[in-house]
Amino acid sequence: MAASHVLIPVSLWHKQGVNADRRPPKPLDPALLEQLALRYVERFATTQGKLTDYLTRKLRERGWAGERPADAAGLAARMAERGYVDDRAYAEAKAASLARRGLGARRVQQALHAARVGAEDSEALAGQVAENARDAALAFARRRRIGPFGDGAADRAVREKQFAAMMRAGHAPGLARRIVAAGPGELFEEEF
């Protein structure tokens, strides 16, 4: 008997990854676009730039049915004016969260840039981030058992790996070297 082909009834397509009943999404109009924006800001802490990116992506996916051209950036700016989006508050919360996780100033700046936080808001936090650099580095070292938080004296290869981990976490080279070089229990927070 020759190889037979299995016919899948249309009613079972959804189980095979094909959805026969799915219609293309309705193109957006100004009211729907604003609804999308409101839903997004109520669900996620975001920045004006990320909201603009989200709305632009939705416009690209669904199309536009409005009379005038869509203005995703203008809608995001209106959301910021109404207080639904606050780049400075987002940046402060994000920086504090990353510092608690033990990430350094460079990684915090990268995360803020990726979140499309404006240069003005990012620069306003630079002092606060630099002020917390030592505490963040110590938190990272404690979590990863580096230097004074380690089990014993580490050989050179282990210290190099620990130093590399601290650098990837965004810490300053001098601070990372001092923490990695410290022996178990010999670090006092006043030293840094």
Side-chain angles (χ1 to χ4, degrees):
M1 180 172 189
S4 63
H5 295 284
V6 177
L7 295 175
I8 300 172
V10 173
S11 62
L12 298 178
W13 278 8
H14 69 281
K15 293 180 182 174
Q16 301 295 321
V18 178
N19 192 346
D21 297 333
R22 186 168 176 117
R23 295 182 202 119
K26 183 176 166 183
L28 295 171
D29 59 23
L32 284 174
L33 189 64
E34 188 161 348
Q35 274 184 333
L36 276 176
L38 284 170
R39 256 189 253 131
Y40 189 80
V41 299
E42 77 182 354
R43 291 177 61 206
F44 304 107
T46 191
T47 63
Q48 193 171 334
K50 282 177 68 172
L51 179 60
T52 301
D53 291 346
Y54 170 77
L55 295 174
T56 302
R57 181 172 49 93
K58 288 299 180 184
L59 284 165
R60 189 173 49 248
E61 290 171 357
R62 294 181 57 176
W64 180 248
E67 295 172 10
R68 289 184 274 161
D71 184 18
L75 181 55
R78 284 195 307 275
M79 293 289 159
E81 287 170 7
R82 294 176 186 163
Y84 298 143
V85 176
D86 186 351
D87 285 8
R88 177 73 55 97
Y90 177 89
E92 288 172 357
K94 186 74 168 176
S97 170
L98 294 173
R100 281 191 305 274
R101 287 181 39 207
L103 298 180
R106 187 172 34 85
R107 285 287 299 274
V108 170
Q109 290 301 323
Q110 288 173 346
L112 295 179
H113 179 73
R116 302 220 23 224
V117 172
E120 181 181 311
D121 292 327
S122 196
E123 288 170 9
L125 291 176
Q128 177 186 347
V129 169
E131 197 175 289
N132 296 331
R134 181 185 54 84
D135 294 335
L138 290 172
F140 183 81
R142 185 176 294 114
R143 197 176 87 232
R144 298 286 299 266
R145 297 179 186 192
I146 293 174
F149 305 104
D151 296 334
D155 63 353
R156 182 178 177 170
V158 171
R159 284 193 314 270
E160 286 176 359
K161 287 182 180 181
Q162 291 174 342
F163 177 75
M166 298 229 21
M167 293 303 296
R168 283 190 303 273
H171 298 292
L175 180 59
R177 273 192 204 93
R178 288 196 322 240
I179 290 174
V180 169
E186 78 180 54
L187 175 72
F188 296 98
E189 293 195 19
E190 293 79 36
E191 293 178 20
F192 291 98

